Amino acid sequence: MEWVDDAIVLGCRPFGEGKLVADLFARSHGRYGGVVHGGRRAQPIVQAGNLVRAGWKARLSEQLGFFSPLELSEPYAGRLLDNALALSGLASAISLVRAGAPERHAYPTLYDALLVLIESLPTADIWPALYARFELGLLSEIGYGLDLTRCAITGETDHLAWVSPRTGRAATAEAGAPFADKLIRLPPFLCDAEAPIESGDVADALALAGYFLERRLFDQRGEGMPEARRRMIERLGFAGRL
Amino acid sequence: MPSSKSPLAAPEIEALISLLGKVPGLGPRSARRAALQLLKKKDALMLPLAAALQDAAHKIKACANCGMLDANDPCTLCTAPARDDALICVVADVGDVWALERAAAYSGRYHVLGGVLAALDGVRPEDLRIAKLIERASQPGVREIILALSATVDGQTTAHYLTERLSTLGVAVTRLAHGVPVGGELELLDDGTLFTALASRRPS
């Protein structure tokens, strides 16, 4: 079995003495592990966040397999090394994909969203809001999506301001007001791409996505939220980007 | 059904080959060759090696101050009087200290973290010797902390984290430069290295 595809590197680890095992997220094939020949010489290519053109081969589809050819298309990781804030966003996004996307299942929409996010990471004015959208997109892609299209009580599609922690469905400001202490705030930019992003909106969006990631993904596995996400939120706070 | 393959040699020799094969740089074939050489040169090689291994196993430990491996605690590098106490070079592993010492370009003290932060693999700040580094960097007389960590995502994430933790102590925090290696030809360098080399260019 073999394929060739564009892929985002999710990580790598040493394998034996001279080899590496890389974890790639291929656009049309999903997450695949495989041996990278060339060992440390290939390490600049398989840095998390890099975009590569990869071929994967194995005699049997269930085998670990190996990547050949493996060519660097865009060295995103190298471009972010000096940017602490961007690097924290990259680590958090990648840790969520590794946790949320099972191996060998294609998620082209999630792949595209991750690529757009990685491309935006050098621009601190843009990426925190994009990142929050990415998390909600990830939840949706893996089957735990929220319904932010209409109010669960009135059916209205405008002025959505709350989300039910139980159902993950939105409610308008007015309909949700009596239950405000039980609902999670929904920042306008998550429903309306044209809506301005006010101070506190990114924090609210991350709190909303974080709540459902924790309950629907990590709690079910008995795992805590990734350390990388906690560190990213801390850094965003220090940088005044929440 | 029993295996048709009979053991190559006595169990003692098989055990020796098996253990040697676990040493980095040696595979099963080279372990067999090494075992054969050891057995042939018992007095000149095998017994002194066994004694050296035993000696090292009993005496070598991590320095409580810097994390370096040494027979003394504090280690030779921590107690060397000619070294500059004002400089502390932070590295991930003992092998990095050896590499820097080979270059003979640095004469300050070292601090071995014991790895780098790897959020994806679950290595957290508490797993590294960061508290001890903060303690050392807070000592009067320390002027500069040099972060000599790998130019990888994990290495630089660790560097950013340490920079933040050390920022309140009033010491200069510097990092190794990233860029064109000595003898490196531009057309052979990967795009990431070229990007960082250009980004960190300096006045000529």
Side-chain angles (χ1 to χ4, degrees), chain B residues 89-110:
Chain B
C89 181
V90 181
V91 296
D93 283 306
V94 171
D96 300 329
V97 175
W98 291 345
L100 284 163
E101 283 299 289
R102 272 202 313 273
Y106 174 72
S107 60
R109 307 290 179 193
Y110 287 97

Side-chain angles (χ1 to χ4, degrees), chain B residues 27-100:
Chain B
R29 278 171 182 273
S30 40
R32 216 169 290 146
R33 280 204 302 277
L36 193 58
Q37 279 301 305
L38 287 171
L39 290 164
K40 279 182 178 173
K41 297 178 180 172
K42 200 185 276 184
D43 292 330
L45 197 57
M46 193 176 201
L47 293 174
L49 177 66
L53 285 172
Q54 201 163 29
D55 208 26
H58 284 132
K59 291 182 183 164
I60 302 297
K61 52 189 173 293
C63 171
N65 188 45
C66 74
M68 183 65 186
L69 293 176
D70 201 284
N72 303 309
D73 187 7
C75 70
T76 317
L77 287 171
C78 282
T79 50
R83 288 193 163 264
D84 189 348
D85 288 327
L87 301 175
I88 299 176
C89 181
V90 181
V91 296
D93 283 306
V94 171
D96 300 329
V97 175
W98 291 345
L100 284 163

